[in-house]
Amino acid sequence: QVQLVESGGGSVQVGGSLRLSCVASGDPLSSFCMGWFRQAPGKEREAVAVISSGGASITYAASVKGRFTISRDNAESTVYLQMNSLKSEDTAMYYCAGRRTFGCALTDPFYYWAQGTQVTVSS
């Protein structure tokens, strides 16, 4: 089992940056492939980025590639999402999640979820 707690959401203007953090407790974070997801009002949840358990393999959704960076520090039990050049369409509730595998894809099911943190981008 792993428990996930996020922080770092907030309001920012278009073109700004935010960094989300997701701290894990319980089983070692190194046992989990991790991902960031988002859901805007009235829309389906979207996978934003995933990172393998050791950090060597990363995949981004086309909508964020080149603007967002996922990373992890297993020693600190933390996963990050650095978001740059934010757009209004990035406004959503953001969730980190994990699955107990070495690698994972954007379309894989994830079984451990944080509570969500709101990101609002305004012009």
Side-chain angles (χ1 to χ4, degrees):
Q1 291 279 2
V2 66
Q3 293 77 45
L4 304 172
V5 178
E6 300 174 6
S7 61
S11 296
V12 65
Q13 290 190 323
V14 170
S17 299
L18 281 174
R19 188 174 82 156
L20 305 182
S21 299
C22 176
V23 178
S25 61
D27 288 348
L29 187 66
S30 57
S31 299
F32 296 84
C33 192
M34 297 297 295
W36 286 95
F37 299 76
R38 66 186 182 186
Q39 188 166 21
K43 294 189 176 181
E44 292 190 356
R45 188 172 62 201
E46 174 189 18
V48 172
V50 296
I51 183 168
S52 61
S53 60
S57 178
I58 291 173
T59 306
Y60 294 99
S63 57
V64 306
K65 196 169 186 178
R67 300 187 299 120
F68 290 13
T69 302
I70 188 172
S71 61
R72 64 191 297 159
D73 184 338
N74 286 342
E76 295 294 329
S77 298
T78 305
V79 180
Y80 302 98
L81 185 68
Q82 177 67 45
M83 305 184 293
N84 298 330
S85 302
L86 282 161
K87 306 175 180 180
S88 57
E89 51 263 44
D90 294 319
T91 295
M93 187 71 79
Y94 283 72
Y95 301 87
C96 75
R99 54 179 281 131
R100 195 186 291 271
T101 56
F102 174 78
C104 51
L106 294 172
T107 54
D108 283 339
F110 281 67
Y111 302 105
Y112 303 95
W113 290 84
Q115 79 284 1
T117 187
Q118 178 68 37
V119 171
T120 302
V121 185
S122 59
S123 56

